[in-house]
Amino acid sequence: MRIPTDPSRRQVAAWLAAAASLAAAPARAASGDGPPLADRLAAYAHALRFEDLDTGTVETAKVHLIDALGCGLAALDAGPVRICRDIALSDGAGAATVLGTDRRSSPELAAFANGVAIRYADFNDVYVGREPGHPSDAIAACLAVAEAERATGRELIASIALAYEINCRLLDAAEVTGRGWDHPVYCLPASALASGRLMRLSPEALTQAVNLAINGHIAMNQTRVQTLSDWKGVADAEATRAGVFAARLARAGLTGPAPIFEGRAGFFKQVSGPFTVDVATFGGEGRPFRISRCGIKPYPAQVYCLTAIPAAIDVVTEAGGVDAVQSLRIDTTHLGYVTAGRDREKWRPTTKDTADHSLPFITARAMLDGAITNDSYAPDRLSDPALLALIDRITVAEDPALTAMQPKAVPNRLTATLRDGREIVRQVDDVPGFVSRPMTRDDVERKFRMNAGKRLDPLEMRRVLDAFWTIDERPDLSGLLALLS
């Protein structure tokens, strides 16, 4: 079935209703009987407007945008962020501002450099479906393309909500980590569709953007096992770069392999296994958007480690100090164990990227310092003798009961055996910023000031915050990112 080049909302709604029956018939979808998933995602993206967003969703999109920019500012001096920024600026010309400067590059390279900054500290937002991910990574693509296309603030907000919806719904649909792939594979269609929507592409061109983005850019999960490299903070930014470039290629008329999900050698067959996605249930027309289920991190650490931090602080406080702890057992979820507690490298992390994905390191550092901050991963903190001695008293195990609590919670349970024979048990299921405990504007501004304090003075920060809280009133984004230079 083909979609009219410029369908009315009624036509799109009718077409989506017919396509929704595929959710109950994966065999028919796999055999080609009905619209492919890429076409259905494209139809949804083409139809979505700012007016379809409720006031709560608009506010939440601003919250995640401001949080992402603060995370990006905090990481500007990191080596990998500088490398990627320098490469983007060497392009010499373009229409999209590179974060931390008043200079511009091409939309795809600006999205790449800004995405690395947003992601690098592992402090940006998180979503936990069957697969965890960081939907705010796509914000870099939305900002770059919106500026280049002279889009309005409202169009930017709608594109952010769209990118989150696509990414999160796919993260809900299938886990790819256990099959050896990396979660940025879902950022590819999200970035391509959000970028293409800002470019005002037709449904057919949006489908081609999805096809092009996915086919040549499937990421391997080696990024997140054993010793973690600089690429851990770059992988999602590469997905956003690929998504923006795919949308540009599709606008020029290039086609991509199809059906990209259901084909004989497509995504289902090669990467995820078969799954169904009911696009008719996506956000809009009174249905909630997935961005409302995304969490804001209170600590710069991998999601499966977050709840271990307050538990660790409680344990050491009750014990009366670290020296009183003879041994510590961390019970965690399946993915918490696989990604942060299984590999031997997690007991002696030599890179910041390994340390912020290490349950032993993060727990021990929190017990010693009473917090986890951006400074917790400095080189001298990695080799601290007191830290290493404490890590050697820690074990990590998977608890199926904790795994069963996902995705509503990401729990960790700490059991400390003290030298006097007492035992202290602390289980924490969520932290401030999670869906059950959302951050307020004041909370988000406090985190932004913490992240941006080394880059902007108080008056500059107030000017930036006011500009982004009212971004939906702006006719275009000219000069907006330059406020952060």
Side-chain angles (χ1 to χ4, degrees), residues 95-162:
T97 301
V98 176
L99 186 64
T101 79
D102 57 3
R103 298 167 61 189
R104 297 182 177 184
S105 185
S106 64
E108 59 267 29
L109 285 179
F112 176 68
N114 296 347
V116 173
I118 288 170
R119 180 77 189 92
Y120 183 76
D122 218 322
F123 210 176
N124 61 324
D125 67 10
V126 65
Y127 180 79
V128 180
R130 292 187 181 180
E131 181 76 43
H134 304 277
S136 57
D137 293 326
I139 285 177
C142 297
L143 279 168
V145 177
E147 184 181 15
E149 297 295 319
R150 307 187 73 83
T152 67
R154 289 188 169 197
E155 289 173 317
L156 170 63
I157 292 295
S159 73
I160 291 172
L162 170 62

Side-chain angles (χ1 to χ4, degrees), residues 80 144 427:
Q427 179 173 322

Side-chain angles (χ1 to χ4, degrees), residues 119 182-184 221-226 228 232 235 339 357:
R119 180 77 189 92
D182 201 11
H183 62 74
N221 196 52
Q222 185 61 33
T223 299
R224 295 174 210 284
V225 299
Q226 298 177 281
L228 275 61
K232 186 267 288 180
T339 62
H357 275 53

